[in-house]
Amino acid sequence: MKRDDTTLPAPTRRHFLRLGICSALALGAMPLAGSPVLAAGKGEGVLVAYFSYSGNTRTIAEMIHQRVGGDIVEIKAVKPYPADYDACVEQAKQELSANAYPQISTVIPDMGKYRTVFLGYPCWWGTMPRAVFTFLKTYSLNGKTVAPFCTHGGSGMGSSEADIRRLCPGARLLEGLPVRGRSVKSAGKTVDAWLQSIVF
Ligand SMILES: Cc1cc2nc3c(=O)[nH]c(=O)nc-3n(C[C@H](O)[C@H](O)[C@H](O)COP(=O)(O)O)c2cc1C
């Protein structure tokens, strides 16, 4: 029997939008840039802020940004960390034991417009680089949702989540995403699964 299309309601933009959302969920994948979900305004009020010394955390930050939209900013120290790895490890160790707050050059013109902050960093000496501590001291994340992600060589999130909780007592801290540095390039599905598991 031939289907009588006239009996069906004309598909509206909302139908396509709903179809897109259902398909994305059914596929078990987060929406990619350009998908109906993003077109529906995902990304509004979202900031991806990350620190990266050798590029691993930047790779994950860009994956997250591609999926959730919003703004992305790099947390940078005014005085760059030494290019020599061992010298960097030593400086990071000294900064940690001194509870230092190295100056950062990152400027967020209007932190108030963000509801969710994806905060990324490499694990350094079991926690965040001290420049990220400076970021959290400079910009209050109280009242915001914070989704931390970390790349590491075996320590996972370390004590970074406890440190974020201590520095941002008024923030809603979500479960973090740890990714091994050597796995960042193939971490797309892990990032998708994490984004699906958190409500931000
Ligand atoms: C100063 C320094 C300290 C580090 N400390 C740790 C650590 O305590 N635990 C760990 O698993 N990895 C540690 N690493 C390895 C980095 O966390 C890992 O290579 C990370 O993916 C680097 O990210 P990036 O490329 O974004 O800088 C350290 C690396 C550096 C440079």
Side-chain angles (χ1 to χ4, degrees):
M1 193 175 72
K2 193 168 170 279
R3 203 184 69 175
D4 181 4
D5 284 335
T6 56
T7 60
L8 295 170
T12 62
R13 213 173 141 264
R14 195 177 299 153
H15 281 99
F16 286 121
L17 203 60
R18 205 176 295 146
L19 187 67
I21 293 168
C22 293
S23 316
L25 291 174
L27 285 170
M30 278 304 289
L32 296 173
S35 76
V37 179
L38 268 185
K42 273 266 180 197
E44 230 173 83
V46 171
L47 174 68
V48 180
Y50 71 95
F51 176 98
S52 186
Y53 171 67
S54 53
N56 291 340
T57 312
R58 181 177 301 115
T59 299
I60 301 296
E62 286 169 354
M63 282 181 186
I64 293 170
H65 182 238
Q66 188 193 17
R67 286 156 172 77
V68 302
D71 295 338
I72 183 164
V73 69
E74 183 170 358
I75 301 169
K76 280 188 164 178
V78 168
K79 187 169 163 254
Y81 285 90
D84 179 79
Y85 188 85
D86 291 340
C88 179
V89 167
E90 188 51 37
Q91 183 175 320
K93 185 182 181 183
Q94 284 173 13
E95 285 182 358
L96 187 64
S97 54
N99 274 331
Y101 287 93
Q103 265 193 300
I104 56 171
S105 56
T106 310
V107 175
I108 313 284
D110 180 11
M111 191 52 118
K113 73 177 184 179
Y114 302 112
R115 275 180 284 104
T116 301
V117 177
F118 287 85
L119 181 69
Y121 44 84
C123 180
W124 276 14
W125 291 103
T127 185
M128 305 171 284
R130 290 299 299 188
V132 180
F133 282 70
T134 306
F135 178 80
L136 294 178
K137 204 179 172 199
T138 308
Y139 295 104
S140 167
L141 301 186
N142 284 345
K144 302 185 192 303
T145 295
V146 178
F149 59 99
C150 166
T151 70
H152 63 94
S155 303
M157 302 298 288
S159 63
S160 64
E161 287 163 306
D163 290 331
I164 294 170
R165 201 169 279 119
R166 190 167 45 77
L167 284 160
C168 314
R172 174 176 160 255
L173 185 65
L174 302 182
E175 194 184 332
L177 171 70
V179 181
R180 271 196 183 254
R182 63 168 182 246
S183 308
V184 293
K185 289 208 168 67
S186 56
K189 285 197 173 123
T190 307
V191 169
D192 288 339
W194 178 62
L195 288 172
Q196 272 203 298
S197 73
I198 58 175
V199 179
F200 60 90

